[in-house]
Amino acid sequence: TVKLNDSAESIDDLNNIPIKTVNGATIFIRDVGHVRDGSPPQQSIVHVDGVRAVLMTILKTGTASTLAVVQGIKDQLPLLKQTLPQDFKITALNDQSLFVEAAISGVAREGVIAAALTSLMILLFLGSWRSTIIIATSIPLAVLSALLALSVFGETLNIMTLGGLALAVGILVDDATVTIENINWHLEQGKDVRTAILDGAQQIVVPAFVSLLCICIVFVPMFALKGVAGFLFVPMAEAVVFAMIASFILSRTLVPTMAMYLLKPHIHDEKPDPAKASRWVAPMIRFQQGFESRFDKIRENYRNLLAMAMDHKRVFVIGFIAVVLLSMLLTPFLGSNFFPSVDSGQITLHVRPPVGTRIESASSEFGDIERVIRKNIPPDELASIVDNIGLPTSSINTIYNNSGLIGYQDGDIYVSLKPGHSPTADYVRTLREKLPRLFPGTTFSFLPADIISQILNFGSPAPLDLQIAGPDLDKDQAYAMELLRKMRTIRGVADARLQQSLQNPQLKINIDRARASQLGLAERDVTNSLVATLAGTSQVSPDYWLNPKNGVSYPIAAQMPEYRVDTLSGLANVPITGTTSGLQILGGLATIVRQKSSAVVTHYNIQPVFDIYATPQDRDLGGVASDVRQIVSDTKGDLPRGAKVTLRGQVATMDTAFTGLSLGLLAAIVFIYMLIVVNFQSWLDPFVIITALPAALVGIVWMLFTTGTTLSVPALTGAIMCMGVATANSILVVSFARERLDATGDATIAAIEAGMTRFRPVLMTALAMIIGMAPMALGLGEGGEQNAPLGRAVIGGLIFATGATLMFVPVVFSIVHGRKRAQNVPAPPMPKPSGEAYA
């Protein structure tokens, strides 16, 4: 083999390469420069708790699991550390998997608590531990079946799917509860267990199936949602639908089978005797019997109240409608947000010193800012502070950056709080007030720190993005500044700032073309010389050196040292060479002028754009957006010719989602009505059934208003869910009233009997749902605020809908079917209180 030394073996060999011979003297690279293993001029600086560091950002693909990616990285870190120096420290910062794990654990915990509370409620009403075991067993099996179906459809275990399962827990007990209660009713009639199971299951299969369809059909419009709302809530809808279908199937199969082995024939008039029970069971028996006694009194009071309403139907109906209409007037006072804000225990602060500030000066200012942050956050609550100053070297990082970087002076400060910290919003509010006063001329903006808000902003640094697009930059900027001044006066607006800046310092080099031509130079020669001097030859003549020791190719760039061109005179002395001319200096060919330029150039649909970003604070997003639109309308006369103003960001997506969900709510009511029409073969009875739905909407409004919860996508989702459950309960009352009407011929008596007989099952199903939603409504745990409006909307809607089902629906039924009791039919005695679910 033959090997030549045509490639340097080491970096020092590069210094020994000859480049020219003059008068017999050889000039080497080391004579005119120095080759070293270095790096390009620094354009980013990172500090972790005040110590210089290197920050590596790892992104995942959309289909990958956050937990799987993070865990895979953590598994590789020990192997990576073995190849690094011992003093090298690797620390995981801003680990989003912690929030995801905490949020998922919180939702799962809510589901477990809801299932436990619901089981206790069933035990209290039924007084049978055997029946309670049967019902409680069906809940986890229905959840597991739903998880299996979600896996088949390619869904993952996340906050939304778990939220859907937690939402369904309260409803899952309905099918099993109704089945068991109806079996118990048949057992009370003296039937044996097998006959009671067969008769009870057959008796309720059709009404139960209709109720299932009513609950599932309300989620059909959600599958038509577009954008982020569709991606978020379609999995939730699938989780609820799959769980409900599984619950219905289990109530037809597992529940009767377990009842066959656990339930026993009833002995008439035999009640448990506390005196004969053990000392552990006796108190529970006495408590159960006391509850039954008090419940019978409550039901008797309900009968008297319903009878009173029947005696004053006109006044009752008019008063009910008036309350509904007046309550709906509270809707504008609720406010509107796309999604509730989440306290993730993290603060992300974007800092922009005056445009053009050197990165070294910006780094010093960032240190002062971090000292202010440490003074305002107690040390026992502060976990870490990380800053990332300047522009990322990777174009991928630049593309995915959502903080609005425009230059080397910009940077982000990430503050992580320890568990048990005070509300993050309080610290943000304090820093918003103090930092601009302590650092005048620097722009501060608090960005979304949690992964959910970042997604909802679509990569934008703020939920409000007011864009001014037009052909005249100067006039557009003047108009944008006018809008910015007015926006800062809006109540609830924070961090209002103009993203683009025309104040970036710039040196313009005006070349004397005639002079350059006389010297044999062209514009291209000047450009190439300046690029090689200021940015390195990698821009115009890329070259690489292969290191034989490690097999890595390193780029080779020739560049003048920065300290030689750090003044105007140094820049004027830059040598200019051409192919046909000798050496010249820049100052002999051109003049250098100071001027300003755009720090960043933004286009939307080709047109140049100015973005005004803003974030709501202590006010709902919808209210702030409404005031912003009003300002745009008031200043329409000042809009430059050809310019256009558009409000984008999270607001536009929120409006689209609200429109889709509102239409979905109306569609759900229509679907429910048509479904009941088909089942009842009547137009009037379905109308009577859905008269409880306006009360559900009123309950949602009152619950959101009293808890200070804004109207949001989760709240609207809860409203849609509430429509199905409220309709299912109303079907119980009207279906039995129809049967009693056929028997008595008197609509009023039939309605009262239906209310009395259905009082227990309606109350049980409503309470099961309310108790199941209580943990979610409290918003406990990480990310709990996200689904809290959903739980509150369902609880408020069901409370009012249950009242309307037991009071308003019977009254409306008696009016619609207002026939006098047939004279040949004697007045039937009042029904004995029964736990019958379906007649």
Side-chain angles (χ1 to χ4, degrees):
T1 60
V2 178
K3 183 178 180 180
L4 299 176
N5 64 341
D6 55 350
S7 177
E9 295 288 333
S10 65
I11 294 179
D12 289 338
D13 290 343
L14 293 173
N15 282 302
N16 297 324
I17 295 177
I19 57 175
K20 191 176 184 180
T21 301
V22 179
N23 296 327
T26 302
I27 301 175
F28 298 90
I29 288 181
R30 64 175 180 269
D31 297 326
V32 297
H34 176 60
V35 181
R36 62 183 178 86
D37 184 6
S39 60
Q42 188 170 17
Q43 60 182 22
S44 64
I45 298 175
V46 175
H47 296 93
V48 176
D49 292 329
V51 180
R52 292 287 290 268
V54 175
L55 184 64
M56 178 181 291
T57 303
I58 300 176
L59 306 174
K60 76 174 188 68
T61 59
T63 57
S65 168
T66 301
L67 300 182
V69 171
V70 173
Q71 188 58 46
I73 294 171
K74 290 181 178 179
D75 293 341
Q76 292 297 320
L77 288 182
L79 299 176
L80 181 61
K81 288 182 179 179
Q82 296 178 6
T83 64
L84 299 174
Q86 294 182 354
D87 296 336
F88 202 89
K89 183 180 180 182
I90 301 177
T91 305
L93 303 172
N94 296 326
D95 185 357
Q96 290 287 0
S97 69
L98 300 177
F99 173 76
V100 175
E101 288 177 343
I104 291 177
S105 300
V107 174
R109 183 170 57 253
E110 290 171 2
V112 173
I113 294 174
L117 293 177
T118 305
S119 299
L120 290 176
M121 186 273 297
I122 294 170
L123 178 62
L124 185 64
F125 270 91
L126 298 182
S128 170
W129 64 268
R130 299 173 183 270
S131 300
T132 303
I133 289 177
I134 296 174
I135 296 171
T137 303
S138 65
I139 296 177
L141 291 177
V143 171
L144 291 175
S145 301
L147 290 175
L148 180 61
L150 288 172
S151 176
V152 172
F153 278 78
E155 299 292 348
T156 60
L157 195 64
N158 52 54
I159 297 175
M160 303 311 297
T161 51
L162 282 176
L165 296 175
L167 177 64
V169 166
I171 320 173
L172 291 180
V173 300
D174 287 359
D175 290 325
T177 301
V178 167
T179 303
I180 288 296
E181 190 173 10
N182 209 47
I183 292 173
N184 281 326
W185 185 83
H186 282 276
L187 289 174
E188 291 174 358
Q189 309 308 311
K191 299 180 181 180
D192 63 275
V193 175
R194 182 182 180 85
T195 304
I197 290 174
L198 294 175
D199 292 346
Q202 182 181 6
Q203 193 176 42
I204 64 172
V205 61
V206 174
F209 184 68
V210 173
S211 298
L212 169 69
L213 292 180
C214 287
I215 294 175
C216 292
I217 204 171
V218 299
F219 288 97
V220 172
M222 298 187 67
F223 289 91
L225 290 176
K226 304 295 183 182
V228 173
F231 286 113
L232 289 175
F233 283 94
V234 167
M236 173 180 279
E238 290 177 348
V240 175
V241 171
F242 292 150
M244 291 303 303
I245 294 175
S247 175
F248 177 79
I249 295 174
L250 290 171
S251 69
R252 303 299 99 204
T253 56
L254 177 69
V255 172
T257 303
M258 293 185 66
M260 185 68 187
Y261 289 99
L262 292 178
L263 298 186
K264 295 182 178 180
H266 286 198
I267 301 176
H268 291 285
D269 300 328
E270 180 180 338
K271 295 183 178 180
D273 188 358
K276 298 180 181 180
S278 65
R279 62 190 184 94
W280 300 104
V281 179
M284 292 186 287
I285 295 177
R286 284 192 291 266
F287 180 80
Q288 172 65 25
Q289 292 177 351
F291 174 80
E292 286 288 343
S293 176
R294 287 187 290 270
F295 184 78
D296 289 340
K297 292 180 181 179
I298 293 174
R299 180 155 48 182
E300 186 62 29
N301 292 333
Y302 159 71
R303 178 203 172 280
N304 297 333
L305 190 63
L306 181 58
M308 185 185 302
M310 292 293 184
D311 293 337
H312 305 86
K313 296 177 183 177
R314 183 184 299 272
V315 176
F316 178 74
V317 172
I318 294 176
F320 181 87
I321 295 175
V323 170
V324 169
L325 295 178
L326 291 175
S327 297
M328 295 306 292
L329 296 178
L330 291 174
T331 305
F333 297 96
L334 296 178
S336 57
N337 281 316
F338 191 16
F339 276 76
S341 58
V342 174
D343 189 347
S344 61
Q346 295 177 330
I347 301 175
T348 301
L349 172 61
H350 183 70
V351 182
R352 178 179 296 170
V355 176
T357 302
R358 289 182 59 86
I359 191 171
E360 299 89 342
S361 301
S363 177
S364 175
E365 183 171 339
F366 271 69
D368 296 337
I369 294 171
E370 290 171 20
R371 280 187 284 272
V372 174
I373 294 175
R374 293 183 184 278
K375 289 181 181 179
N376 287 273
I377 299 179
D380 57 341
E381 296 187 19
L382 184 60
S384 65
I385 298 181
V386 180
D387 63 43
N388 185 11
I389 311 167
L391 296 176
T393 57
S394 170
S395 59
I396 297 178
N397 287 28
T398 304
I399 293 172
Y400 284 100
N401 178 272
N402 60 355
S403 64
L405 292 172
I406 66 170
Y408 300 117
Q409 74 283 331
D410 282 23
D412 300 319
I413 298 178
Y414 307 99
V415 181
S416 299
L417 303 179
K418 295 179 180 179
H421 59 82
S422 302
T424 306
D426 293 345
Y427 292 130
V428 171
R429 192 179 298 107
T430 301
L431 294 174
R432 271 195 176 121
E433 177 185 352
K434 292 186 176 181
L435 289 177
R437 187 174 66 251
L438 296 174
F439 301 93
T442 299
T443 303
F444 297 92
S445 53
F446 288 83
L447 311 179
D450 61 283
I451 188 173
I452 297 176
S453 299
Q454 292 172 5
I455 293 172
L456 296 178
N457 278 352
F458 296 96
S460 173
L464 284 166
D465 180 9
L466 190 63
Q467 288 188 347
I468 301 94
D472 193 327
L473 283 179
D474 293 333
K475 291 183 179 180
D476 292 344
Q477 185 191 32
Y479 177 69
M481 294 302 297
E482 178 185 356
L483 289 178
L484 179 59
R485 285 191 295 269
K486 293 181 179 295
M487 282 181 61
R488 285 173 172 166
T489 63
I490 296 176
R491 181 178 62 86
V493 167
D495 301 337
R497 74 273 187 192
L498 185 63
Q499 169 67 4
Q500 291 76 16
S501 174
L502 301 181
Q503 304 301 314
N504 190 50
Q506 177 177 279
L507 297 176
K508 184 178 181 181
I509 300 176
N510 296 314
I511 301 172
D512 187 340
R513 298 177 185 271
R515 173 69 172 162
S517 179
Q518 294 172 0
L519 297 174
L521 295 172
E523 281 284 346
R524 181 183 58 188
D525 299 324
V526 178
T527 302
N528 290 340
S529 297
L530 282 177
V531 168
T533 300
L534 301 178
T537 56
S538 59
Q539 299 291 326
V540 292
S541 180
D543 198 1
Y544 297 89
W545 171 66
L546 176 63
N547 189 344
K549 294 182 179 179
N550 56 17
V552 176
S553 293
Y554 293 89
I556 297 179
Q559 182 177 354
M560 182 176 289
E562 289 185 87
Y563 61 84
R564 290 187 177 273
V565 286
D566 58 354
T567 61
L568 286 180
S569 60
L571 181 61
N573 289 325
V574 169
I576 307 297
T577 59
T579 56
T580 60
S581 67
L583 179 66
Q584 303 292 332
I585 61 172
L586 181 63
L589 303 173
T591 57
I592 303 174
V593 180
R594 296 177 182 268
Q595 61 178 209
K596 298 176 181 178
S597 65
S598 298
V600 60
V601 178
T602 308
H603 289 86
Y604 193 94
N605 287 341
I606 303 177
Q607 283 192 315
V609 163
F610 285 94
D611 292 274
I612 300 177
Y613 291 129
T615 303
Q617 176 179 281
D618 301 330
R619 192 182 177 195
D620 63 289
L621 179 61
V624 173
S626 178
D627 289 349
V628 171
R629 290 189 178 101
Q630 185 61 45
I631 287 178
V632 173
S633 177
D634 294 341
T635 59
K636 187 177 296 184
D638 301 331
L639 185 66
R641 292 189 60 183
K644 181 181 179 182
V645 182
T646 308
L647 184 58
R648 304 189 187 276
Q650 194 179 121
V651 178
T653 311
M654 180 184 74
D655 293 340
T656 302
F658 273 34
T659 302
L661 286 175
S662 300
L663 294 176
L665 183 61
L666 295 176
I669 296 175
V670 173
F671 289 164
I672 289 173
Y673 181 72
M674 299 306 296
L675 176 64
I676 305 174
V677 166
V678 173
N679 180 68
F680 278 80
Q681 295 296 305
S682 168
W683 293 96
L684 290 178
D685 288 329
F687 169 76
V688 175
I689 290 172
I690 67 172
T691 54
L693 300 187
L697 295 177
V698 169
I700 293 169
V701 171
W702 273 108
M703 177 61 75
L704 297 180
F705 181 78
T706 54
T707 58
T709 306
T710 58
L711 193 63
S712 60
V713 170
L716 288 175
T717 305
I720 293 176
M721 181 71 185
C722 194
M723 296 299 102
V725 180
T727 303
N729 288 338
S730 191
I731 288 175
L732 293 179
V733 176
V734 175
S735 62
F736 187 77
R738 278 286 300 270
E739 296 183 9
R740 297 309 303 161
L741 177 62
D742 295 338
T744 64
D746 190 307
T748 300
I749 294 178
I752 294 177
E753 290 186 7
M756 283 289 291
T757 305
R758 299 305 193 204
F759 184 75
R760 180 189 291 267
V762 167
L763 205 60
M764 283 186 64
T765 53
L767 281 176
M769 187 68 180
I770 291 172
I771 292 174
M773 290 291 99
M776 180 183 292
L778 295 175
L780 304 176
E782 293 287 348
E785 305 95 333
Q786 205 72 49
N787 290 323
L790 192 154
R792 293 167 188 169
V794 172
I795 290 176
L798 278 182
I799 291 174
F800 280 68
T802 303
T805 299
L806 295 174
M807 293 294 299
F808 187 70
V809 169
V811 172
V812 173
F813 181 88
S814 68
I815 294 175
V816 172
H817 295 278
R819 300 195 304 266
K820 293 184 178 180
R821 180 170 58 87
Q823 296 182 358
N824 59 342
V825 179
M830 294 307 299
K832 181 182 178 181
S834 168
E836 177 190 7
Y838 290 93

